Amino acid sequence: MVATKSISSLVLVDSSSSTFLSPIPRFLTLRIATTTTPISTTSTLRRSPRSLPSSLAAMFPENSVLSDVCASGIASVVAVSCLGFWGEIGKRRIFDQKLIRKLVHINIGLVFMLCWPLFSSGPQGALFASLVPGLNIIRMLLLGLGVYQDEGTIKSMSRHGDRRELLKGPLYYALSITSACFFYWKTSPIAIAVICNLCAGDGMADIVGRRFGTEKLPYNRNKSVAGSIGMAIAGFLVSVGFMYYFASFGYMESGGWDIILRFLIISIASAFVESLPISTDIDDNLTIPLTSALVGTLLF
C-alpha cells in the first residue's frame, strides 16, 4: 500500500512538473518562429535582383534572338545619337576641338556599357552587343580611308581634323571596346576595368592634365602628375560605379573592400602605363586596355 502511494505520488509530481514546464517550450518555439520569419524575408529581398536578368532585362524573354536584335538597334541608335550630338558641337565650334574629342572619348564607351542590361547574358548577347562598336570599326575605316565624308565626326574624333587620324586612336578605341564586350561581357569585372580606364580614365587624364598639369613627370615631360592622378581616380571611381550598376541586375556580386581594392590597383597600373613614353609611341588606346586586361586577369 505504501509502495502504491509512493508510485502514485511520483506520477503526480511528474505530471505536475511537466504541466508546469510545458508552457516554456511552447513559448520558446513561438519566439523562434517569429524571429526566423523576418530572416527568410530579408534573404529573399537580397536575392530578388538575381531574377532581373531573366525577367526584366530581356525585352522579349520568350525569344532571346529577337530581344538581342532589338537591343542592338537601341544601343546603335544611342551611340549614333551621341556621335551626332558631339559632331554638331564640333561643327558649331562651341567647345575647343581637343575638349570635344576627349568628351567623345569619355562618353561613347560608357553610354554603350549602360545599354548592356538590354542584352541576354550568354554568348549570344555578347555577340550582338559587340556588333554595335564593331560597326563603328567599319565606320572608322571608311572615314579614315576617305570612302565617305563626315566633317563633324572627323573633327570630334581627331586631333588636327585629318581623316587619317581615325585609322589610329579612334580605330584602336573601337577595337578595344569590341574586344572587352565580346571576350569578357557583363558578368566580368575585367570588362568594367578595361572600358572604364580607357574611357573615363584616359579622357580625364588629358582634361585634368591640360588644366592643372604644371608639374611634369620626371620620366616623361609630356605627361603631368595631375593628369596621371586624375586618370587613376576617374578610372577607379567609374569602375566601382559600374560594378554596383551591374550588381543591381544580378550579373555579379556587389564586391566588398577586396574587390574595390583590385579595381584601384588596376586603375593605378593603367595610369602608370599611360604615363610611359611607350604609350605615346604605340597608342594609349591600346596600352591602357591591354594593361587593364592583363592586371585584371591576374587579380580576378
Side-chain angles (χ1 to χ4, degrees):
M1 185 69 179
V2 175
T4 306
K5 285 182 179 180
S6 63
I7 292 171
S8 61
S9 63
L10 286 172
V11 171
L12 288 172
V13 170
D14 287 344
S15 61
S16 63
S17 62
S18 63
T19 305
F20 175 76
L21 296 174
S22 60
I24 297 176
R26 292 195 191 99
F27 176 74
L28 291 176
T29 305
L30 290 173
R31 188 172 183 178
I32 292 171
T34 54
T35 54
T36 53
T37 302
I39 294 174
S40 61
T41 305
T42 304
S43 61
T44 304
L45 289 173
R46 286 178 181 175
R47 284 195 294 265
S48 60
R50 300 209 171 272
S51 62
L52 287 172
S54 59
S55 60
L56 295 180
M59 288 175 284
F60 301 99
E62 70 283 355
N63 191 332
S64 62
V65 175
L66 179 60
S67 179
D68 286 334
V69 169
C70 293
S72 298
I74 293 172
S76 298
V77 170
V78 171
V80 171
S81 299
C82 288
L83 286 173
F85 171 78
W86 292 114
E88 285 299 317
I89 296 294
K91 285 181 180 178
R92 299 173 187 272
R93 303 181 185 275
I94 297 176
F95 296 137
D96 179 71
Q97 183 176 335
K98 293 178 181 179
L99 177 60
I100 293 175
R101 184 174 62 86
K102 283 303 174 182
L103 291 174
V104 171
H105 188 96
I106 295 170
N107 181 260
I108 296 299
L110 300 181
V111 169
F112 168 61
M113 197 157 54
L114 287 174
C115 298
W116 284 8
L118 297 174
F119 297 87
S120 59
S121 297
Q124 175 186 292
L127 175 62
F128 276 96
S130 62
L131 291 177
V132 178
L135 293 175
N136 199 41
I137 294 174
I138 299 174
R139 189 162 178 257
M140 293 300 103
L141 288 171
L142 295 177
L143 283 171
L145 294 173
V147 176
Y148 82 98
Q149 298 292 326
D150 187 340
E151 181 184 354
T153 300
I154 293 174
K155 284 186 175 182
S156 64
M157 301 187 72
S158 62
R159 294 178 185 270
H160 307 291
D162 187 351
R163 61 175 174 79
R164 291 171 294 184
E165 294 180 42
L166 301 184
L167 299 176
K168 296 180 181 179
L171 180 61
Y172 301 150
Y173 177 92
L175 280 169
S176 298
I177 293 178
T178 302
S179 301
C181 176
F182 182 76
F183 291 109
Y184 294 108
W185 199 211
K186 57 189 175 182
T187 57
S188 172
I190 301 176
I192 294 176
V194 168
I195 296 179
C196 290
N197 284 300
L198 172 63
C199 298
D202 186 37
M204 288 304 297
D206 186 81
I207 294 174
V208 174
R210 291 180 185 279
R211 177 81 174 176
F212 305 103
T214 54
E215 184 177 352
K216 302 298 181 181
L217 294 171
Y219 53 87
N220 189 354
R221 306 306 296 178
N222 293 322
K223 302 289 183 178
S224 67
V225 175
S228 295
I229 293 175
M231 175 180 174
I233 293 175
F236 165 67
L237 292 178
V238 178
S239 295
V240 173
F242 269 97
M243 177 194 70
Y244 283 110
Y245 174 69
F246 287 125
S248 69
F249 290 94
Y251 298 129
M252 61 179 64
E253 295 289 340
S254 56
W257 287 108
D258 57 333
I259 304 297
I260 293 174
L261 179 61
R262 294 175 197 178
F263 277 120
L264 178 60
I265 294 172
I266 296 171
S267 295
I268 292 174
S270 299
F272 173 71
V273 171
E274 190 272 343
S275 69
L276 297 175
I278 191 174
S279 290
T280 305
D281 298 335
I282 299 176
D283 195 286
D284 54 13
N285 288 317
L286 284 178
T287 58
I288 293 172
L290 289 174
T291 302
S292 297
L294 177 61
V295 178
T297 302
L298 294 175
L299 295 178
F300 292 109

